[in-house]
Amino acid sequence: MEKYIINGGNRLYGSVEIQTAKNSVLPVLAATVLTDEKVRILNVPNISDVKNMVKILTRLGCKAVYDGNDLVVDGSSADCYEIPSELAHELRSSVFLLGSVISRFRMAKIAYPGGCDIGLRPVDLHLTGLKKLGVDITEENGYIICKCEKLRGTEIMLDCPSVGATENIMLAAVRADGTTVIKNAAREPEIEDLQRLLNLMGAKVRGAGSSSVIIEGVEKLNGCDFLPIPDRIEAGTFLVGAAMCGGEVELNRVCAENVSSLLHKLRENGCKISINNDKIILENHKRLTSVKSIETQPYPGFPTDLQAQITALCCVCRGHSIITENLFETRFKYVPELRKMGADVTVINRNAFVRGVERFKGATVVAHDLRGGAALVLAGLAAEGRSEILDISHIDRGYGSYEYKLRKLGGDIVRVSV
């Protein structure tokens, strides 16, 4: 068990390299099951979600070897279709493996996946899509059991643009007979990245990034080398941190288009932002003004994964804000922790009503999930006095070397064993 100890009040200056996207790497890792050849994933982030996914691949019979920061996955020896329950409970993204394991073995067995407790996040859309491809699905004693003789392409209309369901159907459909069309598909950049990988492997996928993804099934996929996109959520977290603490921070290896909804809000706050190719520089030397309203939406709207961070920023801005969470019903679990630090926030249903205070006060708080935990760290850095952030294993799921990068920028933060 570990915690962060933070002495707040320092401004942040310097540059930070943005890691490869967690939400791209996980489905990319799932896709390695689809081929007998080696897939080299470049610049893999050192986070616990990736480590758990690698453990699952190993249990399926794949060989996974690190070569510096790269990860080489060899699926030629994969011989198991059961995703271990103890690992599935740790990692919600294990559900991505359903599509690829079914495609490989025509069978799959998985316990209901876990991950952060931010809402129900049902897998119904995943299962409905797989059923339309010809998969017979039963549920027994907390397990999802999938079988099929043959996967057949079809048209699938998603009830809502679910990222996970879109990716899972893509992974199942790449080796199906015929053509699959996913309507009302999610449009996130990570889905475009998965299309890019699959096509490098020999698949025929087009339309990712739009609401209609078309997959023409192929018989076989090959290996490749692949560099996933930068992590837009890590980039957004550091941008918000610079805005809260003040100073001047340069992000390297980041796609500004993928964080445009956040950049728009930060400019409204009063931050000075400049963009130069794959660099973003944010400068702020004053107390910011509140953005009146923020609503989370599917991409290209404001991301739910940055909702906690932007709420923490609003807590120390001048004025009032209303933050509406449209995607996950329990994503405000971090708010009572912010209140311990002096925030004036009231949550009613899916809305957080924020009245800005001068600054946070140091306190001992608990990280209940990944993004809420990251936001509490930012609040601690901006606070007056000493803060302790407990249960930081949640943060390790998505941020590699978080405290090291923050220290490099001037933050006074250390990790200690409890």
Side-chain angles (χ1 to χ4, degrees), residues 24 191-201 208 226-229:
S24 181
I191 291 171
E192 292 186 71
D193 220 28
L194 180 59
Q195 172 181 276
R196 188 164 61 91
L197 167 77
L198 292 172
N199 287 342
L200 281 174
M201 295 173 70
F226 185 71
L227 175 63
I229 58 174

Side-chain angles (χ1 to χ4, degrees), residues 159-177:
D159 290 339
C160 68
S162 161
V163 175
T166 300
E167 292 173 331
N168 224 338
I169 295 165
M170 290 170 66
L171 291 168
V174 285
R175 292 176 57 181
D177 287 350

Side-chain angles (χ1 to χ4, degrees), residues 16 33 40 43 64 75 77 84 110 113 126 151 158 167 185 243 258 261 265 285 298 316 328 336 339 345 357 374:
V16 63
V33 177
R40 177 183 287 267
N43 199 22
S77 57
I110 183 174
H126 301 244
L151 291 165
L158 295 178
E167 292 173 331
N258 292 348
S261 61
K265 294 299 182 184
H285 300 288
V316 289
F328 296 120
R339 285 203 199 101
V345 188
V357 298

Side-chain angles (χ1 to χ4, degrees), residues 260-294:
S260 60
S261 61
L262 173 65
L263 295 178
H264 176 71
K265 294 299 182 184
L266 291 174
R267 286 189 174 112
E268 278 190 54
N269 284 129
C271 295
K272 180 181 177 182
I273 298 171
S274 58
I275 299 167
N276 183 12
N277 296 322
D278 67 346
K279 299 180 187 296
I280 300 176
I281 299 173
L282 185 144
E283 185 177 356
N284 176 42
H285 300 288
K286 62 183 185 301
R287 187 181 178 199
L288 298 173
T289 302
S290 289
V291 174
K292 298 302 181 187
S293 176
I294 299 171

